[in-house]
């Protein structure tokens, strides 16, 4: 009887030691320290939506009721981005890979909701419907074709607002400043167009309106400004030949005369 009892105690001690060794020796299953805590980022969704109210490249789509004419000369891909930017401002989680890729590059965008319809205002709902219709008949144009179409209608009563905004005019929300294109300089080249931009500023507290002028070399590849030359508010510009524009600045009794030249690299310089 004593031998049996002794054998049982030895077996029990051996079994317990073996279990302890197995638990402590499993390096593939690390045990978290009770002191460890998980940090969870809490996003104030309403704060995000509120801050994004003025975010995006096509903010006018959330603020101004558009018309079918506004979509003239706007590409299919641009229309799609304009429409979906409305949803992005409210944190919509996109499903399409191209939209995920595009909006993930926008610093202000945070995906929050699978459905944001309840956040949309009436202007946005109307514009979404109009854009969807425009997307069915849109034509994909190059930036060069868009730019030349914009230039073609500069002297027309027709104003296609989105393409005008695209090339630097303040059409939808000018505020105290309004920028518009008053003309072009130099013959067209393969890579560039030269436009005269005028910015109208109202002096606060006075009934004065001032204009500043900028001669801009605009790329036909992406529509960006390559070179800009500021000229005096009252400067007169005269095209001398295909590569030279005479600039006459009048300041009281004195006049300053210089040339703006398009060089062999098709860049514009002040001489």
């Amino acid at each position: 009887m004593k031998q049996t009892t002794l054998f049982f105690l030895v077996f029990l001690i051996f079994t317990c030691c073996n279990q302890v060794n197995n638990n402590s020796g499993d390096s593939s299953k690390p045990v978290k320290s009770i002191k460890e805590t998980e940090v969870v980022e809490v996003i104030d969704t309403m704060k995000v939506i509120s801050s994004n109210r003025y975010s995006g490249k096509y903010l006018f789509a959330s603020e101004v009721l558009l018309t079918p004419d506004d979509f003239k000369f706007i590409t299919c891909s641009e229309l799609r981005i304009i429409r979906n930017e409305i949803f992005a401002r409210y944190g919509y989680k996109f499903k399409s890979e191209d939209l995920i890729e595009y909006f993930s590059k926008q610093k202000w965008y945070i995906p929050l909701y699978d459905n944001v319809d309840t956040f949309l205002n009436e202007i946005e709902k109307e514009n979404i419907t109009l854009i969807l219709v425009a997307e069915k008949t849109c034509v994909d144009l190059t930036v060069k074709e868009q730019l030349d179409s914009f230039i073609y209608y500069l002297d027309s009563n027709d104003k296609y607002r989105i393409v005008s905004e695209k090339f630097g005019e303040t059409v939808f929300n000018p505020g105290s400043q309004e920028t518009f294109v008053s003309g072009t300089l130099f013959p067209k080249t393969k890579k560039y167009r030269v436009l005269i931009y005028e910015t109208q500023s109202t002096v606060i507290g006075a009934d004065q309106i001032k204009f500043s002028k900028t001669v801009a070399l605009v790329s036909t590849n992406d529509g960006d400004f390559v070179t800009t030359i500021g000229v005096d508010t009252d400067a007169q510009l005269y095209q001398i030949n295909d590569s030279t524009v005479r600039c006459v600045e009048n300041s009281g009794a004195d006049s300053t005369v210089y040339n703006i030249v398009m060089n062999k690299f098709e860049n514009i310089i002040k001489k």
Side-chain angles (χ1 to χ4, degrees), residues 29-216:
K29 298 179 181 180
V31 180
K32 287 186 178 181
S33 168
I34 59 174
K35 294 182 180 181
E36 289 186 58
T37 58
E38 292 185 4
V39 178
V40 179
E41 183 181 5
V42 178
I43 298 175
D44 187 339
T45 56
M46 290 299 102
K47 185 177 180 180
V48 170
I49 291 174
S50 178
S51 65
N52 284 349
R53 180 181 176 188
Y54 301 105
S55 299
K57 185 177 180 180
Y58 305 103
L59 185 58
F60 56 80
S62 288
E63 297 181 335
V64 179
L65 189 60
L66 302 172
T67 69
D69 280 347
D70 289 326
F71 307 123
K72 197 171 180 64
F73 309 123
I74 302 303
T75 67
C76 301
S77 57
E78 285 176 315
L79 288 172
R80 189 162 184 256
I81 293 297
I82 293 171
R83 174 169 58 84
N84 281 286
E85 188 182 88
I86 296 172
F87 297 102
R89 271 190 277 277
Y90 296 108
Y92 178 71
K93 295 180 181 179
F94 293 102
K95 310 299 187 298
S96 301
E97 289 299 324
D98 61 324
L99 294 175
I100 293 172
E101 181 181 0
Y102 176 85
F103 286 106
S104 65
K105 295 177 182 178
Q106 312 308 310
K107 294 181 179 180
W108 52 269
Y109 172 69
I110 299 177
L112 298 171
Y113 300 106
D114 291 319
N115 189 307
V116 296
D117 289 352
T118 56
F119 296 118
L120 301 177
N121 62 44
E122 292 304 314
I123 288 176
E124 290 168 332
K125 291 175 183 178
E126 288 284 342
N127 285 342
I128 288 169
T129 300
L130 286 170
I131 295 171
L132 282 170
V133 172
E135 286 182 78
K136 293 178 181 178
T137 58
C138 60
V139 177
D140 276 324
L141 304 172
T142 65
V143 174
K144 181 179 179 181
E145 290 171 330
Q146 289 181 302
L147 180 56
D148 284 341
S149 298
F150 164 67
I151 292 171
Y152 180 82
Y153 284 97
L154 280 178
D155 296 326
S156 170
N157 291 327
D158 298 317
K159 200 69 173 180
Y160 302 111
R161 295 189 293 178
I162 297 179
V163 77
S164 297
E165 189 90 5
K166 178 183 177 75
F167 293 114
E169 292 195 324
T170 50
V171 178
F172 292 106
N173 186 26
S176 61
Q177 287 192 326
E178 179 183 356
T179 298
F180 59 93
V181 176
S182 59
T184 62
L185 296 173
F186 301 107
K188 296 177 181 178
T189 71
K190 184 177 180 180
K191 296 181 180 179
Y192 306 112
R193 304 288 182 267
V194 180
L195 307 182
I196 306 169
Y197 285 84
E198 296 196 32
T199 300
Q200 172 182 312
S201 301
T202 302
V203 180
I204 299 175
D207 295 328
Q208 289 181 299
I209 297 177
K210 291 187 175 182
F211 291 86
S212 60
K213 290 181 181 179
T214 301
V215 176

Side-chain angles (χ1 to χ4, degrees), residues 212-225:
S212 60
K213 290 181 181 179
T214 301
V215 176
L217 185 72
V218 183
S219 168
T220 59
N221 181 52
D222 53 21
D224 289 343
F225 290 2

